[in-house]
């Protein structure tokens, strides 16, 4: 009973998602659009940069605002509207408004792209747009409403509203006496003061929202990494899918070794001589002067493989010679199918000459 309980606990432990996600799982999640990103960061950057652009491009904006409203109060209100000039009037107003809004749209688009690219790079995928039936499951929707993520998002929204409210309140409170005196100031001064106050609040709020957005981004990265965590069993299963089952691969390699050994043993009867250690190594050599530049190793082995080579050689009448230094050198420095090393030519030639001499005596007798 205790053994069964231990195995059950071990199995449950292996299923706990405690391991960091593998690069393969991270890549698959990215292809599905599952990435760490803060939706607040692009918006906060856009707000900050757009308000900052009012300082850098103030002359440009002032020119087009005065051009639009100056014409309105000086010319358009007193002009007689006709069918001919109404289109000209609308076109003029549209051009002035477009020229005023064009830098804002361009900045918003550029910063929006940068704000996303800096979080997760370039990514084009239609996976999140695919229709999935589980998204229509009311139970899953109910769980999401009361999930920890929803609570965190709600707290973030409340925090942002509080920050914006505090900055607006502080800005108005500090300039309250100046605001009350606006009624005695000329229109141009009122416009200039309100614009400056709005610009100041916008930059302060934008900067604080950017700080919060970066904090949210790192939180999203933490949550994303946590959601991708894997169990030890998941990692093993992924390895099996990508690399193959180690047991099956081991069986395949073992079968390949047996087949290679069998083919090698079939070549032993064709050898001219088998050089032995005598117990640890056995190397079968063949030399055909018409087809080979030098003697070639057609089989080699150590221990039980060497013993089997010698047995096959004996069964087929292949001469076996003991030469410990030569056997070890040939085994360590050449593979099956290789010609013998050049510095061993002399030693092998002496062995083959002796073998041919023995064969010649055998034929004469």
């Amino acid at each position: 009973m205790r053994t069964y309980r231990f195995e059950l606990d071990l199995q449950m432990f292996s299923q706990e998602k405690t391991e960091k996600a593998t690069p393969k799982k991270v890549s698959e999640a990215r292809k599905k659009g599952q990435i760490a990103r803060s939706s607040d960061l692009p918006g906060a950057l856009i707000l900050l940069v757009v308000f900052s652009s009012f300082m850098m491009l103030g002359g440009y904006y002032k020119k087009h605002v005065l051009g639009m409203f100056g014409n309105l109060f000086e010319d358009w209100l007193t002009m007689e509207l006709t069918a001919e000039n109404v289109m000209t009037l609308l076109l003029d107003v549209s051009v002035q408004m477009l020229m005023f809004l064009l830098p804002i749209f361009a900045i918003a688009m550029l910063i929006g792209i940068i704000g996303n690219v800096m979080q997760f790079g370039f990514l084009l995928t239609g996976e999140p747009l695919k229709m999935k039936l589980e998204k229509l499951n009311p139970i899953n929707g109910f769980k999401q409403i009361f999930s920890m993520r929803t609570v965190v998002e709600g707290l973030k929204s409340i925090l942002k509203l509080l920050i914006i409210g505090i900055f607006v309140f502080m800005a108005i409170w500090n300039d309250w006496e100046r605001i009350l005196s606006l009624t005695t100031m000329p229109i141009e001064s009122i416009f200039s003061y309100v614009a400056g106050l709005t610009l100041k609040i916008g930059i302060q709020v934008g900067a604080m929202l950017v700080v919060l957005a970066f904090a949210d981004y790192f939180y999203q990265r933490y949550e994303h990494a946590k959601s991708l965590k894997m169990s030890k069993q998941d990692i093993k299963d992924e390895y099996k899918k990508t690399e193959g089952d180690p047991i099956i691969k081991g069986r395949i390699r073992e079968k390949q070794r047996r087949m290679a050994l069998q083919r090698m043993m079939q070549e032993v009867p064709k050898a001219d001589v088998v050089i032995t250690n005598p117990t640890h190594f056995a190397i079968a050599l063949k030399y055909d002067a018409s087809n080979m530049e030098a003697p070639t190793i057609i089989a080699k082995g150590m221990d039980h493989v060497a013993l089997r080579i010698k047995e096959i050689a004996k069964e087929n009448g292949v001469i076996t010679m003991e030469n410990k230094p030569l056997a070890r050198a040939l085994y360590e420095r050449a593979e099956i199918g290789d010609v013998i090393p050049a510095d061993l030519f002399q030693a092998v030639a002496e062995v083959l000459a002796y073998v041919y001499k023995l064969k010649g005596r055998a034929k004469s007798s």
Side-chain angles (χ1 to χ4, degrees), residues 36-78:
R37 64 180 297 268
S38 171
S39 57
D40 297 337
L41 186 55
L45 287 173
I46 289 172
L47 180 66
L48 177 61
V49 176
V50 167
F51 272 98
S52 299
S53 72
F54 290 142
M55 296 179 64
M56 295 180 290
L57 303 175
Y60 174 87
Y61 289 122
K62 180 179 179 181
K63 173 184 174 183
H64 288 283
V65 168
L66 292 178
M68 183 168 57
F69 287 99
N71 291 336
L72 175 63
F73 291 112
E74 293 177 5
D75 301 325
W76 299 339
L77 291 180
T78 58

Side-chain angles (χ1 to χ4, degrees), residues 172-186:
I172 294 176
W173 179 262
N174 292 334
D175 285 4
W176 182 245
E177 295 182 359
R178 180 79 181 274
I179 293 172
L180 293 178
S181 65
L182 289 178
T183 55
T184 61
M185 297 171 62

Side-chain angles (χ1 to χ4, degrees), residues 35 79 85 122 231 326:
I35 50 178
M79 70 183 296
N85 63 14
F122 290 96
S231 64
L326 182 59

